[in-house]
Amino acid sequence: MLEQLHTHLAADGDARLLVVTHGAVAALPGEDVTDLGQAAVWGLVRAAQAEHPGRLVLADLGADDTLPAAAPAYGEAELAVRDGALLAPRLVRVAPAERRDVALDRGTVLITGGTGGLGALTARHLVAEHGVRSLLLTSRRGAEAPGAAELAAELEAAGATVTVAACDVADREALAALLAEHPVTAVFHAAGVVDDATINSLTAERVAGVLAPKADAARHLHELALGLSLDAFVLYSSAAGTFDGSGQGAYAAANAYLDALAAHRHASGLPAVSLAWGLWDPSVGGMGAELTSADVDRMARTGILAIGREQGLALLDAALAGAHAHVLPVAFDRGALEQRARLNSLPSVLGGLTRPTVVRKAAAGGERAPGPGRASAGRSP
């Protein structure tokens, strides 16, 4: 797919490429994702769409569906066809769920990428607020990772038993050996790397290097845990896999895979939630640790605000208490989103988060064009 994108985007003109997949997205509540590999393609193409607006259209078909010839003309960047109906995605705000107790303290909780950034923040939170008393923290360097010894000592002082293990979770055999030695009752997958590059400069090798610790590792965790009784299976994804992934094609692909895996597990009756995080404050560490204040300000102008520690942990708890397989804990500035909508630069998936923009102009005979009340009459929410 990457080679096809390179060829299309290098061509002169404004022709659009229609990318058609089958079973790559969960377009309906509770729907299964039957092809996780094609789900990663959606993340890659979404990033390409952000870099090259108007040049690409995504469409996903159900098992017995065909794509209507007129579908690309509807102006949507993404479409799904289910039982002949055309569907377009929109993010919607989710009200906090009624508190659902998620017991995480009956055994050992595995946190991949657990010695720094979001992994370490999660470990502290699980011990302090969820009563977790046994933690298995993995990273490639294990106890030799910066801050690992201090983190373990802090958690043990708080009453937890902590094992810090060096394990490349993209290595299935190594991960299987680790889980055989340390049976776990919950999984938090926070491992990953970034390798930012525009679509035109991405190579298959660079994409594979980003997919391995996030997508490949998530698949290994899923398959190796099928025989375990898990209380939670939590994947730390990124909003870049859903929208505004410009310059992060490989990362977007990896995270779209995680979102689809959560939907697949959910449809199979297994615990799963993928949290497609927005921007964390750089002080938290992790993937955004290298961002400058100028970077944060630039993203704020696009409508994405930084999430602080307390806000982020509250969003984590809300996701654990909810019943959705895929959520986006993102702090939006609606005013900035509406400004982007007026400039026609807002991804359509975010259109549901803004107030409708109605352009009024004089109609023939001096009458005004219909207002929003009449224009939207009869439409569903």
Side-chain angles (χ1 to χ4, degrees):
M1 187 68 241
L2 184 60
E3 183 176 341
Q4 292 170 301
L5 290 176
H6 286 166
T7 300
H8 173 68
L9 296 174
D12 293 332
D14 56 0
R16 287 181 296 171
L17 176 67
L18 176 62
V19 180
V20 181
T21 59
H22 298 262
V25 295
L28 297 171
E31 187 176 45
D32 193 6
V33 174
T34 57
D35 195 318
L36 296 174
Q38 291 191 39
V41 169
W42 270 60
L44 181 70
V45 174
R46 282 168 173 161
Q49 288 175 328
E51 295 174 21
H52 302 271
R55 297 293 309 280
L56 298 149
V57 178
L58 277 163
D60 188 73
L61 305 182
D64 300 316
D65 286 301
T66 57
L67 187 68
Y74 292 134
E76 293 287 340
E78 302 178 18
L79 291 167
V81 185
R82 296 295 185 270
D83 295 328
L86 279 175
L87 307 173
R90 295 291 186 272
L91 293 185
V92 295
R93 291 180 175 85
V94 179
E98 182 177 343
R99 186 69 186 181
R100 180 174 64 92
D101 289 333
V102 180
L104 300 173
D105 58 352
R106 71 178 179 91
T108 298
V109 176
L110 166 65
I111 305 177
T112 70
T115 60
L118 292 187
L121 182 69
T122 301
R124 294 185 177 101
H125 182 65
L126 294 182
V127 170
E129 301 298 331
H130 290 269
V132 171
R133 289 297 173 263
S134 179
L135 285 169
L136 173 59
L137 309 181
T138 70
S139 65
R140 289 192 177 188
R141 297 178 59 184
E144 300 300 317
E150 293 80 1
L151 174 64
E154 175 189 340
L155 296 171
E156 289 173 346
T161 299
V162 181
T163 300
V164 179
C167 180
D168 179 359
V169 289
D171 182 334
R172 182 187 176 92
E173 291 185 2
L175 181 59
L178 180 73
L179 294 178
E181 184 179 355
H182 302 278
V184 300
T185 56
V187 171
F188 285 74
H189 180 38
V193 298
V194 293
D195 185 6
D196 291 349
T198 62
I199 292 295
N200 290 335
S201 59
L202 267 183
T203 64
E205 292 74 21
R206 295 180 73 174
V207 173
V210 175
L211 287 174
K214 188 166 278 287
D216 293 349
R219 183 179 72 253
H220 299 333
L221 287 165
H222 159 64
E223 293 171 351
L224 293 171
L226 286 176
L228 303 177
S229 176
L230 295 183
D231 298 318
F233 189 91
V234 183
L235 302 168
Y236 278 15
S237 175
S238 168
T242 304
F243 66 90
D244 280 352
S246 179
Q248 294 187 298
Y251 194 56
N255 286 294
Y257 184 98
L258 262 59
D259 301 335
L261 176 60
H264 173 64
R265 285 181 57 91
H266 208 253
S268 303
L270 299 170
V273 60
S274 182
L275 285 83
W277 292 105
L279 173 67
W280 279 85
D281 188 281
S283 64
V284 176
M287 302 298 179
E290 301 301 319
L291 294 178
T292 66
S293 58
D295 294 325
V296 174
D297 290 343
R298 175 181 52 79
M299 294 192 70
R301 290 192 293 273
T302 72
I304 310 301
L305 304 177
I307 301 171
R309 283 180 173 80
E310 295 306 316
Q311 182 184 18
L313 292 172
L315 290 170
L316 169 60
D317 287 341
L320 291 173
H324 296 280
H326 177 204
V327 296
L328 286 89
V330 183
F332 288 108
D333 179 343
R334 193 166 76 168
L337 294 183
E338 290 174 350
Q339 175 65 15
R340 290 180 67 184
R342 287 190 288 271
L343 296 173
N344 201 31
S345 65
L346 186 71
S348 57
V349 71
L350 300 182
L353 303 178
T354 63
R355 289 184 289 262
T357 300
V358 178
V359 179
R360 294 177 179 270
K361 53 187 177 182
E367 296 179 1
R368 298 187 67 84
R374 282 177 286 172
S376 62
R379 296 187 181 183
S380 71

